[in-house]
Amino acid sequence: MSRYSRHIVLEEIGPLGQQKLARAKVLVIGAGGLGCPALQYLAAAGIGTIGIVDFDVVEESNLQRQILFGASSLGTNKAIAAKTRLEDLNPLINIVAFAEKLTPHNALDLFATFDLIIDGTDNFATRYLINDAAILTDKPVVFGAIYKFEGQLTVFNYKGGPSYRCLFATPPKAGSVANCSEVGVLGVLPGIIGSMQANEAIKIILELDQVLSGKMLCYDAKTTESHHLKIVKSESEIETVLARKHKFTAFDYEAFCGLTIPEISAAAAVQLKNVLFVDVRELTEKPEVTLPNCVQIPLGDLNNHLSKFKADQHSVLFCQTGVRSKLAVQQLIEHKIEKCFSLIGGAESLLNYTTITK
């Protein structure tokens, strides 16, 4: 009663509403710029079970906007680091960390055990994956997106409302939309949009009116102005997703978004002639890797070092898990630099071939 007293005195919430929040199960995909503030307010509000899906680790460049983390979190998986912080914020709720990538193989099982989904991701392949899994499991999705000084917010798949594919039936051409590591983002912007995502989730759980379904809020942080765009439901798009349910686990979302990235194993990489190994992790991350002809260029700084990549040389890029190295390879391909690969399994896969310091 003391912790949630400001909720309980609200006529629209009261004791029964707080019980609804306590029984609710919310799955947050991505503990980054959007996920951090959403998670913080959901935990503080008393959401009974919160799931966090994120396979990435905390980097120094995250700290400008990902407010759940601090210097002590560097190199730690984001889902696990977020769980630790949130358990201190509210020890009365259940927080489950999934330190893994969302894929067609685990999405349906994950979604089935939660009431609603918050999409805090930053790439189109995962957004389409979330959309399709939500349609197949009949779960609403609270969607947020940010770009430089602009943010977007809406709720998809809510009580038969429009889905992400109704708004974007096809993905943009690969490389046509820059990410925040390339163009930057105002640090406070994801805090604003992520908090709004938590607000929509709470409205859904409490069954309040005027959930942001069928329209998208567009917010400009420079002018502090906002406007709404109408989203029209496309029955054909939703029926297409439902019709290929039996093929869901085999659908290649990265290929659908033009993101098929060349990969290579450690065993094959060390056999290459004239090869440059590139560590795209932050300088503080462990384990430290010592390899002949190896340089360290953090992902956010890659475009400033394109001269290091030679046309007649193989380049093998690696990170902690293989995620950032794929993004790095994609950047190089966009700059017409070929013969580059993402290392499968990340730095640990080099254990048998190099000197690694824990």
Side-chain angles (χ1 to χ4, degrees), residues 139-343:
K139 307 292 181 180
V141 176
V142 182
F143 170 84
I146 52 175
Y147 180 79
K148 298 173 73 172
F149 291 89
E150 301 173 7
Q152 298 176 337
L153 174 76
T154 190
V155 178
F156 291 122
N157 204 42
Y158 177 68
K159 293 185 176 181
S163 73
Y164 183 74
R165 285 185 183 270
C166 299
L167 183 61
F168 302 110
T170 57
K173 182 180 178 181
S176 63
V177 180
N179 58 41
C180 67
S181 68
E182 298 173 304
V183 299
V185 63
L186 180 68
V188 73
L189 177 64
I192 295 169
I193 303 300
S195 297
M196 289 182 175
Q197 287 182 277
N199 183 55
E200 291 303 310
I202 290 171
K203 285 162 58 180
I204 292 170
I205 294 165
L206 294 175
E207 301 175 275
L208 299 180
D209 295 333
Q210 299 182 332
V211 170
L212 196 63
S213 174
K215 55 185 177 181
M216 174 175 282
L217 171 69
C218 301
Y219 174 79
D220 189 323
K222 286 197 292 187
T223 63
T224 323
E225 295 178 341
S226 62
H227 63 276
H228 290 87
L229 300 176
K230 184 178 180 180
I231 303 175
V232 179
K233 182 179 179 181
S234 171
E235 295 288 356
S236 62
E237 288 294 333
I238 294 173
E239 289 172 3
T240 298
V241 174
L242 292 171
R244 61 166 180 252
K245 180 176 182 178
H246 63 291
K247 298 180 180 179
F248 176 75
T249 57
F251 193 86
D252 190 336
Y253 285 89
E254 291 192 349
F256 173 68
C257 294
L259 296 175
T260 302
I261 301 297
E263 297 181 276
I264 193 170
S265 67
V270 296
Q271 298 299 320
L272 292 173
K273 305 295 183 182
N274 189 21
V275 58
L276 174 68
F277 287 91
V278 182
D279 184 348
V280 298
R281 299 174 299 166
E282 296 296 315
L283 302 178
T284 55
E285 288 185 56
K286 303 289 184 178
E288 296 177 3
V289 176
T290 302
L291 265 177
N293 205 23
C294 180
V295 297
Q296 186 164 20
I297 307 173
L299 176 60
D301 202 32
L302 189 65
N303 285 343
N304 296 324
H305 295 274
L306 297 178
S307 61
K308 289 185 169 65
F309 299 92
K310 309 301 180 184
D312 61 345
Q313 185 179 51
H314 293 98
S315 300
V316 176
L317 293 88
F318 66 91
C319 59
Q320 202 76 0
T321 61
V323 176
R324 281 170 287 170
S325 58
K326 284 186 178 181
L327 294 174
V329 169
Q330 183 184 348
Q331 286 186 34
L332 294 181
I333 292 174
E334 291 167 2
H335 285 92
K336 312 301 181 184
I337 298 173
E338 300 178 354
K339 291 188 176 181
C340 52
F341 303 89
S342 170
L343 185 68

Side-chain angles (χ1 to χ4, degrees), residues 344-357:
I344 299 170
E348 291 286 354
S349 69
L350 293 167
L351 181 63
N352 296 325
Y353 307 99
T354 183
T355 301
I356 292 187
T357 305

Side-chain angles (χ1 to χ4, degrees), residues 102-109 129 247-253:
L102 187 74
T103 71
H105 298 285
N106 63 14
L108 296 183
D109 289 339
L129 168 59
K247 298 180 180 179
F248 176 75
T249 57
F251 193 86
D252 190 336
Y253 285 89

